[in-house]
Amino acid sequence: MSYVKACVGAYEEVGFNNLPPVPAGRIIIPPRRGTLRKLPAACDYDWVDTYKAYGVIGREYGGAAMTNAEVASFVFRGDSEEHLQARVKTLESWFHANSEWSA
């Protein structure tokens, strides 16, 4: 809930009232069509505040859909909007290089 409160500017409620604003982003990774065979357990980039793996190894997925069926998500920091955009690409590439799907 701290993430949500911080997003709406309720910094005092989460204890961040003396910190300067830091650009942050969140991305979700949708499933591919197929069976999930491998999923990273952790993300070691120091600029990633939260990585959550939701996918289930061995489960067959139907691909991306308009649901909350993501297989992973990241909350991360950067120095600017451009920096965040570059990090989105880095995280997406890292995730796909460290996960495995079969048809």
Side-chain angles (χ1 to χ4, degrees):
M1 190 56 117
S2 293
Y3 172 75
V4 174
K5 288 180 181 178
C7 286
V8 298
Y11 302 112
E12 291 181 17
E13 292 183 37
V14 293
F16 298 125
N17 56 337
N18 294 326
L19 299 176
V22 176
R26 178 176 182 263
I27 62 168
I28 58 173
I29 306 292
R32 292 185 173 179
R33 183 176 303 277
T35 303
L36 182 60
R37 298 291 178 202
K38 179 181 163 190
L39 183 69
C43 181
D44 294 331
Y45 288 116
D46 64 352
W47 42 269
V48 171
D49 293 319
T50 305
Y51 165 71
K52 291 190 178 182
Y54 303 106
V56 178
I57 303 298
R59 181 175 177 186
E60 186 173 338
Y61 290 88
M66 297 300 290
T67 67
N68 289 338
E70 65 265 12
V71 293
S73 69
F74 299 85
V75 176
F76 58 100
R77 291 172 272 113
D79 296 326
S80 65
E81 184 175 343
E82 293 78 17
H83 200 206
L84 293 175
Q85 291 171 352
R87 287 186 166 176
V88 165
K89 293 176 185 174
T90 298
L91 289 172
E92 184 179 30
S93 295
W94 173 86
F95 181 83
H96 291 304
N98 289 285
S99 60
E100 186 178 307
W101 296 85
S102 65

